[in-house]
Amino acid sequence: MPGGRAERAGVQTEGALHAPAGREQELGIRIPRPLGHGPSRFIPEKETIQVGNEDAMMHTLFADSFATLGRLDNVTLVMVFHPQYLESFLKTQHYLLQMDGPLPLHYRHYIGIMAAARHQCSYLVNLHVNDFLHVGGDPKWLNGLENAPQKLQNLGELNKMLAHRPWLITKEHIEQLLKTEENSWSLAELIHAVVLLTHYHSLASFTFGCGISPEIDCEGGHTFRPPSVSNYCICDITNGYHGMDENQASPAGSIPITESVCEVEALMEKMKQLQECRDEEEASQEEMATRFEREKRESMFVCSSEDEESAPARDVSRHFEDTSYGYKDFSRHGMHVPTFRVQDYSWEDHGYSLVNRLYPDVGQLLDEKFHIAYNLTYNTMAMHKDVDTSMLRRAIWNYIHCMFGIRYDDYDYGEINQLLDRSFKVYIKTVVCTPEKTTKRMYDSFWRQFEHSEKVHVNLLLVEARMQAELLYALRAITRYMT
């Protein structure tokens, strides 16, 4: 996994203007102050890269991000822990939103709003509201989905299923979008829309999973209250200002360092033992299938017992329909969803070519991004160097796909329980399935001796595995419709 905070570092933006309170009153002006400290509520500001101290590659990425977005946003400032991934991410997002493609620009930003709103991600919704208006979008659409064109309203069903229960998508859902007499979608438009929806569902996971703070100029990113602990009110608390930086709070349970060091050693020992077992014997196909079903079943019972408040949510529900529809495990209440076998329909053999055929170059960009996230390593684990982390990365990726009912025939799912402990599984499932419920306590409770850059890398794996899982179900349904 990645490591070496000093080698790659993280990033922060300049603080708000500060003026003496008396001088403010004298001039009759109100000066905003940032509510948070740095780009993340979970990562101490001093452990992120300071703007101005970045290396040449990071500087180029910041310039590209600023040129594309018109700002250096906090997602970029956290992702830059991993410059190679950030470069691929920015290139893909730029292509989806701004380059030639089947959908008009204002539709693209509106679809981003619809997707982010499904997870109550007001941070992303607000960014795209501004972009939507900037490219000439009709402000009336922002009053609620019912004010948008019928064609976009028709996308609401696919949006909710992709976000919460993608295994339910069938070729009939695709047919309804492509074959309505009026307001029908073309195949190319639908592929563009599906990629945008999955991109923003997974980016909502990253935003909540890394505790991304709103920028000072965004809703929820500033206060006009004086910076005094004794002088804030309940409205500040509901807006996320607690008079004390969340980063300064003690981590969950204040675990002794020796205990968390032992956790790292134990994890490395398990990896070594599993590798030896692999070398000695291989489980039968029947046993592998049984282990997959067991892990899939167990994943249903991984749930958080959190009562801690997650990030304050602002109401963005007007941007989607059926607000009560959310994530449900696929085998609840006697429902049985057939296992999605990767050898029958995979990204490499099927999804990639379909996307590239209907929306040229996007398949290539996505493929590169998936590979970078999956293969990214600095051969470190916490304080250890020269470590092969491929087994751990594969366990994380395959556990996410397992939660979506997707099975790799050549993988022994017994490894997952050996490598991922319960607190880590809770974090993974929350970030991937119900990201709006992610809390700092969950973030602090797994891999307690690992670098923040390593936890950000975990989030990159979660984001890309989730996006690929959603895409696989949607693209399989489109393929079945076409054949």
Side-chain angles (χ1 to χ4, degrees):
M1 300 302 287
R5 176 168 60 239
E7 295 169 324
R8 283 170 319 286
V11 172
Q12 73 168 39
T13 49
E14 291 298 321
L17 293 168
H18 289 280
R23 184 75 177 138
E24 266 183 55
Q25 290 162 0
E26 188 185 313
L27 295 171
I29 56 172
R30 299 170 77 218
I31 295 181
R33 293 182 176 80
L35 275 176
H37 297 272
S40 164
R41 294 182 303 116
F42 297 171
I43 303 170
E45 187 177 17
K46 66 181 185 296
E47 298 193 34
T48 59
I49 299 168
Q50 314 300 306
V51 172
N53 293 343
E54 72 275 11
D55 62 24
M57 182 183 183
M58 289 177 185
H59 184 77
T60 303
L61 287 171
F62 290 163
D64 290 347
S65 178
F66 191 85
T68 302
L69 304 170
R71 60 166 60 229
L72 197 53
D73 68 354
N74 285 343
V75 167
T76 299
L77 297 181
V78 171
M79 269 189 195
V80 81
F81 273 121
H82 307 291
Q84 186 191 5
Y85 175 86
L86 176 60
E87 182 178 25
S88 177
F89 172 85
L90 289 173
K91 199 162 50 170
T92 305
Q93 184 165 264
H94 176 67
Y95 196 94
L96 290 174
L97 292 176
Q98 293 176 283
M99 300 297 283
D100 286 346
L103 293 173
L105 296 183
H106 63 303
Y107 266 48
R108 302 181 197 192
H109 290 293
Y110 196 80
I111 290 168
I113 292 167
M114 288 173 65
R118 278 268 33 138
H119 286 305
Q120 292 102 56
C121 189
S122 54
Y123 174 85
L124 292 175
V125 169
N126 291 334
L127 287 183
H128 284 282
V129 163
N130 291 333
D131 291 336
F132 171 77
L133 295 171
H134 182 70
V135 296
D138 185 344
K140 289 197 201 71
W141 298 9
L142 301 174
N143 294 330
L145 185 58
E146 68 279 4
N147 298 290
Q150 188 61 46
K151 183 170 178 172
L152 283 165
Q153 291 184 45
N154 292 347
L155 200 61
E157 184 77 6
L158 186 64
N159 179 26
K160 86 179 183 188
M161 293 171 76
L162 269 175
H164 306 300
R165 307 174 205 172
W167 45 86
L168 298 181
I169 296 169
T170 64
K171 68 177 185 180
E172 284 72 30
H173 294 111
I174 304 304
E175 189 170 22
Q176 282 171 1
L177 290 165
L178 298 172
K179 284 211 161 172
T180 47
E181 287 187 22
E182 292 178 45
N183 306 304
S184 64
W185 291 75
S186 72
L187 265 172
E189 287 174 332
L190 185 58
I191 290 287
H192 194 170
V194 162
V195 175
L196 281 166
L197 289 171
T198 58
H199 176 80
Y200 282 102
H201 294 155
S202 55
L203 190 53
S205 283
F206 184 85
T207 301
F208 286 117
C210 291
I212 301 294
S213 303
E215 289 81 23
I216 186 172
D217 59 325
C218 293
E219 184 185 348
H222 58 264
T223 180
F224 292 103
R225 307 288 302 174
S228 158
V229 174
S230 60
N231 199 8
Y232 66 90
C233 65
I234 194 70
C235 59
D236 287 324
I237 296 173
T238 58
N239 282 317
Y241 178 63
H242 300 273
M244 166 186 176
D245 182 5
E246 252 188 289
N247 291 323
Q248 294 166 352
S250 60
S254 296
I255 309 298
I257 285 181
T258 49
E259 188 179 321
S260 49
V261 169
C262 290
E263 288 175 357
V264 181
E265 306 289 354
L267 181 54
M268 291 184 66
E269 183 57 33
K270 281 178 187 167
M271 287 165 62
K272 185 180 165 197
Q273 288 170 1
L274 285 169
Q275 187 59 55
E276 286 168 359
C277 290
R278 265 190 199 171
D279 295 341
E280 286 169 18
E281 58 175 319
E282 197 172 302
S284 67
Q285 277 301 310
E286 291 78 15
E287 177 59 26
M288 301 266 260
T290 302
R291 289 175 187 176
F292 168 78
E293 290 300 330
R294 186 185 305 133
E295 190 58 52
K296 188 171 79 165
R297 200 164 51 247
E298 283 181 11
S299 77
M300 293 191 305
F301 302 105
V302 172
C303 56
S304 166
S305 56
E306 287 289 333
D307 50 12
E308 177 191 338
E309 274 299 303
S310 44
R314 287 164 181 78
D315 185 36
V316 292
S317 59
R318 64 185 177 280
H319 299 299
F320 62 92
E321 300 167 311
D322 196 359
T323 53
S324 62
Y325 190 96
Y327 174 79
K328 272 206 173 63
D329 291 304
F330 43 71
S331 297
R332 291 272 188 229
H333 312 303
M335 274 184 63
H336 178 68
V337 176
T339 293
F340 187 127
R341 299 170 76 233
V342 168
Q343 76 266 33
D344 296 336
Y345 196 95
S346 69
W347 166 255
E348 290 78 9
D349 297 335
H350 307 90
Y352 166 82
S353 55
L354 177 62
V355 173
N356 243 22
R357 189 164 83 244
L358 293 168
Y359 187 8
D361 297 328
V362 168
Q364 182 65 43
L365 288 166
L366 293 175
D367 193 58
E368 179 186 286
K369 191 159 62 77
F370 291 148
H371 276 96
I372 288 172
Y374 187 88
N375 294 312
L376 184 67
T377 184
Y378 306 95
N379 299 111
T380 60
M381 273 179 65
M383 68 293 296
H384 297 279
K385 295 192 164 135
D386 301 317
V387 183
D388 179 358
T389 62
S390 54
M391 180 184 286
L392 191 52
R393 284 180 276 122
R394 190 176 185 193
I396 294 167
W397 186 280
N398 287 3
Y399 179 60
I400 294 157
H401 280 197
C402 178
M403 290 192 303
F404 283 86
I406 297 171
R407 181 186 167 211
Y408 295 82
D409 276 3
D410 62 346
Y411 183 67
D412 180 354
Y413 286 84
E415 292 186 4
I416 289 173
N417 270 343
Q418 297 288 314
L419 297 174
L420 314 182
D421 65 25
R422 184 166 181 80
S423 62
F424 192 14
K425 284 183 170 183
V426 166
Y427 177 79
I428 291 173
K429 187 171 183 180
T430 305
V431 171
V432 170
C433 302
T434 52
E436 61 278 8
K437 294 182 178 173
T438 309
T439 64
K440 185 174 188 299
R441 186 179 298 277
M442 289 180 196
Y443 176 90
D444 287 338
S445 68
F446 82 92
W447 284 12
R448 289 167 292 196
Q449 271 304 106
F450 283 73
E451 302 275 4
H452 287 290
S453 61
E454 292 173 303
K455 293 193 171 194
V456 172
H457 183 194
V458 166
N459 275 283
L460 300 183
L461 285 167
L462 307 193
V463 162
E464 297 303 333
R466 175 188 178 167
M467 183 175 182
Q468 192 179 96
E470 285 189 31
L471 275 174
L472 282 172
Y473 278 109
L475 296 174
R476 184 180 69 169
I478 291 170
T479 300
R480 285 176 172 173
Y481 163 80
M482 291 168 68
T483 53

